[in-house]
Amino acid sequence: MYDIAVIGGGPAGLSAAVQVRARNRSVLVVSGDDRDNPVYRSQHIANYLGLPDQRGPELLARFQAHADAMGVRRRPGQVLSVMPMGGWFYLSIGSDVEQARALVLATGVVRANKLPGEAEHLGAGVSYCATCDGMLYRGKPVVVVGKTHEAPGEANWLKEIGCQVTYVSEKEPQGLNQAIPFVKSARPEILGEQGVTALRAGDREIPCQGVFILRPSLAPADLLPGLKLEGGYLAVDRSMATSVPGVFAAGDCTGLPLQISKAVGEGQVAGHRAAEYVDKLEKAN
Ligand SMILES: Cc1cc2nc3c(=O)[nH]c(=O)nc-3n(C[C@H](O)[C@H](O)[C@H](O)COP(=O)(O)OP(=O)(O)OC[C@H]3O[C@@H](n4cnc5c(N)ncnc54)[C@H](O)[C@@H]3O)c2cc1C
């Protein structure tokens, strides 16, 4: 059990984690592939105080090195859901789990809207995790809608375990098994009445029973139902506390301006307040 778990390893999440370690609490940061992080994708960052003219990958590497030096534990993966257990939280990460007494959500912004048909079929043919649900589709036709750098590898794995895979994405995938057909489409539609029966990509209809949508970020409200939103962003007070006790938030997921300095500052507050929250929990028990 960690004192605090941070979801998202961008500037907000790493800043929160460093602050938690400064208060001598244990902290885990779970985050997707670095190459899908917006800082990594920034060619040139000119407005971060004291470090002008940074390339994105270098700035992210500096943040990570700082976190590592402070004893932050970082693990790759995507948090698929969070369950409050009354005094602690249960995080499902792919097919694995972790536990923490408080949480910092630093998931960035979810830029893509849900696909047509996605919400209706979630858990009934639509999955966000190939490793968790792939075995259910052995021998069956599935589509991977790939939006991350890791998605071609996930599609290859589904094929290895015996799924009949088609890969759909906006851009040509790197590292996709050549035996997997690739269909270019930015916004496919999931079809079916009682469960998924096909995916429409442009003028093609691909018959399938499962659709794996692999995105770098999940909307926080999908991770933990009950979080209050304001203008589409997580509602927080000045201590970066959300509407769920023990859950703090920082960075782009709390709203404008979507900037690194703001993310780092909010992360510092969220990490500090999350550590204080755990102190209080301990004193109360
Ligand atoms: C092209 C580009 C250029 C930019 N240039 C600048 C600039 O010059 N100056 C500036 O100040 N800002 C710039 N920005 C904005 C800046 O990158 C963001 O404001 C900043 O990265 C926000 O930090 P964050 O930590 O809140 O979120 P992010 O950096 O988005 O980090 C969130 C991380 O959480 C991960 N994540 C989300 N959900 C989950 C989950 N369920 N499980 C595990 N991990 C998850 C995501 O994959 C991501 O890695 C730029 C953005 C872009 C896209």
Side-chain angles (χ1 to χ4, degrees):
M1 166 93 69
Y2 287 89
D3 288 323
I4 288 143
V6 178
I7 306 178
L14 292 172
S15 169
V18 163
Q19 183 59 26
V20 170
R21 287 299 301 137
R23 292 185 57 99
N24 211 22
R25 290 281 173 192
S26 62
V27 60
L28 170 73
V29 176
V30 189
S31 199
D33 193 304
D34 284 352
R35 292 169 299 175
D36 294 315
N37 184 279
V39 178
Y40 187 95
R41 298 203 314 267
S42 309
Q43 296 289 324
H44 179 222
I45 295 158
N47 64 344
Y48 190 67
L49 185 67
L51 293 172
D53 299 327
Q54 287 287 299
R55 287 184 62 249
E58 281 159 18
L59 188 59
L60 187 60
R62 278 176 181 257
F63 291 158
Q64 290 171 341
H66 189 173
D68 293 347
M70 292 289 287
V72 172
R73 167 139 194 262
R74 296 191 289 122
R75 66 167 281 181
Q78 189 165 49
V79 179
L80 296 167
S81 67
V82 172
M83 258 187 284
M85 307 297 288
W88 55 283
F89 295 88
Y90 191 84
L91 284 75
S92 73
I93 305 164
S95 50
D96 202 1
V97 292
E98 296 278 7
Q99 296 166 23
R101 294 196 278 179
L103 283 185
V104 176
L105 302 174
T107 53
V109 275
V110 179
R111 288 191 161 81
N113 290 328
K114 282 203 168 67
L115 299 178
E118 177 179 340
E120 299 88 304
H121 293 107
L122 191 55
V126 168
S127 166
Y128 297 141
C129 178
T131 327
C132 321
D133 298 330
M135 286 295 179
L136 301 173
Y137 295 95
R138 288 179 95 168
K140 296 179 183 164
V142 299
V143 175
V144 171
V145 179
K147 294 177 180 288
T148 65
H149 282 83
E150 287 165 335
E154 299 281 293
N156 295 349
W157 179 78
L158 287 169
K159 177 146 186 78
E160 274 165 35
I161 63 165
C163 301
Q164 299 151 27
V165 185
T166 302
Y167 192 93
V168 173
S169 71
E170 198 172 355
K171 291 187 197 143
E172 186 118 4
Q174 302 286 310
L176 186 68
N177 180 330
Q178 298 205 330
I180 298 177
F182 163 59
V183 177
K184 193 168 179 174
S185 170
R187 200 164 160 74
E189 180 183 355
I190 298 153
L191 307 175
E193 293 294 326
Q194 312 282 327
V196 171
T197 53
L199 180 130
R200 186 178 296 133
D203 51 11
R204 283 192 59 178
E205 213 165 277
I206 307 162
C208 61
Q209 293 177 25
V211 178
F212 292 92
I213 305 173
L214 306 180
R215 294 194 179 93
S217 303
L218 293 179
D222 287 341
L223 285 178
L224 176 57
L227 285 167
K228 197 172 155 212
L229 301 180
E230 246 170 46
Y233 295 101
L234 286 175
V236 284
D237 64 16
R238 281 191 59 82
S239 4
M240 309 315 294
T242 68
S243 55
V244 176
V247 180
F248 299 79
D252 282 5
C253 62
T254 70
L256 301 173
L258 307 181
Q259 292 280 282
I260 297 168
S261 306
K262 182 254 192 191
V264 167
E266 287 191 354
Q268 195 274 343
V269 178
H272 185 89
R273 296 302 184 188
E276 269 182 359
Y277 171 86
V278 174
D279 291 344
K280 280 185 200 149
L281 272 188
E282 268 183 7
K283 280 191 192 124
N285 290 324

